[in-house]
Amino acid sequence: MTPSTRAPAPCSVLLAGRGARPIESHRPNGSTALEFPRIDLSPLRRRVEVSVLVRDPRHRVLLVQPAFRDDMLLPSGGVHPGESVAAAAARLLVESLHIHRPITTVRACDQAGHNFDTGAVEVLTVVVDGGVMTSAEASALSLPVGTEQLTALDWAPLDQLDRYVLPFTEQRIRAAHTAARLLVRLPWPYLGEDVEELVAA
């Protein structure tokens, strides 16, 4: 097979139309042509993350600040291979804040595509509902002693979210909070079984 007719690598994607810049290709006959590069997506570079929406009786939202960021987020983390979203959410709350919350309902999903300029991978973030803490629980909550993962914890009023989070994070939180207020539950079965049934088992 000649170079001009060589098939692309398996799972490769032509970057034309995705903001990629064409490159100048020199052909054996001495001519040049502009071609869009291909990127090998084998294995696919994407990950699934879960964020937990926890509220208090005053409708404030629990936010944390990871040590590697200047802004705040919902308690969040990656979903391990083979792990359900609900199990991942429960695990990260225990690991990062030492709290146990029932995780049964998906309130929103947010997708961030692969950034071909920075190399950032594609991320699907699933926002689950961690319920409403009592006033006493919310007041007593603090960062675990000796934690290195987080540097701050706060309860943010909805009308002040922009003081704590980035714009896209604010929209994500508002969408999930509205869904929780309206009791909108997104079906998110695991192997066809309802998450509530799996958690209750």
Side-chain angles (χ1 to χ4, degrees), residues 6-17:
R6 184 177 301 154
C11 298
S12 66
V13 174
L14 186 64
L15 298 188

Side-chain angles (χ1 to χ4, degrees), residues 18-136:
R18 291 174 174 259
R21 297 177 179 86
I23 58 176
E24 190 175 82
S25 174
H26 296 275
R27 297 179 175 177
N29 61 7
S31 65
T32 60
L34 292 179
E35 296 180 354
F36 283 92
R38 291 180 178 268
I39 183 171
D40 186 5
L41 298 182
S42 178
L44 295 176
R45 298 196 304 162
R46 57 170 61 107
R47 68 176 185 267
V48 178
E49 292 190 349
V50 61
S51 295
V52 187
L53 177 70
V54 180
R55 294 154 289 148
D56 73 355
R58 296 165 57 185
H59 306 291
R60 296 181 302 175
V61 176
L62 174 63
L63 297 177
V64 296
Q65 183 175 353
F68 59 89
R69 298 182 66 121
D70 295 326
D71 57 313
M72 302 191 80
L73 306 167
L74 296 175
S76 304
V79 179
H80 295 167
E83 185 178 38
S84 72
V85 169
R91 171 183 55 78
L92 75 89
L93 288 180
V94 172
E95 291 178 351
S96 61
L97 295 172
H98 297 180
I99 59 176
H100 296 267
R101 302 294 304 169
I103 306 294
T104 60
T105 304
V106 174
R107 297 300 187 188
C109 295
D110 194 1
Q111 182 179 6
H114 181 95
N115 189 314
F116 292 98
D117 291 326
T118 66
V121 300
E122 180 180 353
V123 180
L124 177 66
T125 301
V126 182
V127 184
V128 299
D129 197 337
V132 180
M133 283 189 168
T134 65
S135 297

